[in-house]
Amino acid sequence: MLTDLAEEPLWGYAGRTLSGAVARTQGTGWLRVAAERPDKAHGKLWDGQKAAQELLPPVIPRPVLHDVHDWQAAEWAYRAELYQHTDATVISRSPVLEHDPALPEAWWTELRTALDSLAEASTERVAVREEYIRRAVPEYTGCDVGQIEWSTAHGDFHWSNLGGPDLTILDWEGWGQAPVGFDAAQLYLYSLHTPATAARIRQTLGHILDTPAARVAELTICAQVLQAADRTPFYKDLAGPVKEYLDATFERAK
C-alpha cells in the first residue's frame, strides 16, 4: 500500500511521466508512472530504467528501483516504478547550467568513478545511432566523423539529471552504447555558460575528454545542440558558445 505524499507531482517531458514522493511500510519512496500507447510500450526508453537496475554495477550512484508494475486502461499502457527516495537535490532545473554549483570535492571524485564504471558496462542497448552521427555531424558542424569508438553511456547526462551534494544520477531511460566520452562531452558543453565549472569538468574528466576517441562525442553533442537550437530555448542560448567552441577546437570544412 502506497500513500501519496507529493504536494506538487513532477511532470516529465511532454507529459509522458508523473512522479512524486510516496509513503510505504518500509519508509518513504519515489513513484514514477509512465504512460504510452500500447504499441509503443516496449523497447529502449520503456525498459531503460529496469534494465539499468538489473545490469549496471551498484558503484554507479542512482536510486534503487524496488518494484515495477504494468497495466493498461482506456487505450493506454502504464508502468509504475517504485524507487528508493533520495535526499539529493537536482543541480539545475535546466539541462544547461547557468550558475556555478557549489559541489563538494567528493562529488567530482564520484563523478569520475561513475563514468569510468559505466563506460566498461556491457550492453547491446544503443543510446546514439551511428546513422544519426554520420548524418548530423557533417550537416551541423561541418566536420568529418571518421572512426567511431564505442562505450556505454547514460546518454542524457546533463545537469537536470544530476543531484548533489552526494552524486546521484537520474533518468536512465536511454542508456546504451555511444561514442567514447559522450557523457563527459555533454556535461562539458552544457556548462559553457559557466567557465569555472566547464574548466573543472575538463580537469576531472580530462582522461576521457582529452583523447582522440572523444572527438566524435563532442561533435555529436554540438550537432544535437545546433540541430535543436531553432525549437528549444535553452539550446538556442547555447548555440553561440557551441559554435565558438567548434571554431576554436575543430578543423571545419569551409
Side-chain angles (χ1 to χ4, degrees), residues 56-201:
L56 294 179
V59 70
I60 301 171
R62 61 197 189 275
V64 174
L65 176 59
H66 292 301
D67 198 9
V68 174
H69 177 67
D70 295 327
W71 75 98
Q72 291 191 24
E75 300 182 354
W76 284 88
Y78 296 92
R79 169 166 288 183
E81 299 165 339
L82 180 62
Y83 291 91
Q84 166 196 13
H85 190 276
T86 174
D87 293 329
T89 301
V90 172
I91 292 170
S92 171
R93 291 299 176 186
S94 169
V96 175
L97 192 66
E98 299 293 344
H99 303 284
D100 290 317
L103 295 170
E105 189 67 28
W107 191 95
W108 295 100
T109 302
E110 292 166 1
L111 175 69
R112 175 171 174 146
T113 299
L115 290 187
D116 287 349
S117 299
L118 177 58
E120 295 176 357
S122 177
T123 184
E124 296 182 358
R125 290 172 55 87
V126 176
V128 188
R129 294 179 293 110
E130 182 173 358
E131 177 188 8
Y132 170 81
I133 295 170
R134 296 202 178 277
R135 172 179 55 82
V137 167
E139 180 178 354
Y140 290 97
T141 73
C143 295
D144 294 330
V145 174
Q147 182 180 353
I148 305 175
E149 296 183 34
W150 301 88
S151 65
T152 301
H154 177 277
D156 200 20
F157 205 74
H158 56 64
W159 294 100
S160 292
N161 284 334
L162 297 177
D166 295 326
L167 175 65
T168 304
I169 306 173
L170 307 171
D171 190 5
W172 289 87
E173 284 186 331
W175 72 279
Q177 290 285 296
V180 164
F182 190 82
D183 290 338
Q186 183 172 19
L187 197 64
Y188 174 73
L189 289 165
Y190 280 35
S191 305
L192 291 178
H193 288 316
T194 55
T197 300
R200 183 58 199 265
I201 293 168

Side-chain angles (χ1 to χ4, degrees), residues 37-57:
R37 293 295 184 182
D39 61 329
K40 296 182 179 180
H42 60 86
K44 184 183 79 170
L45 294 179
W46 188 255
D47 294 324
Q49 310 269 17
K50 185 171 181 286
Q53 176 64 36
E54 294 172 349
L55 300 175
L56 294 179

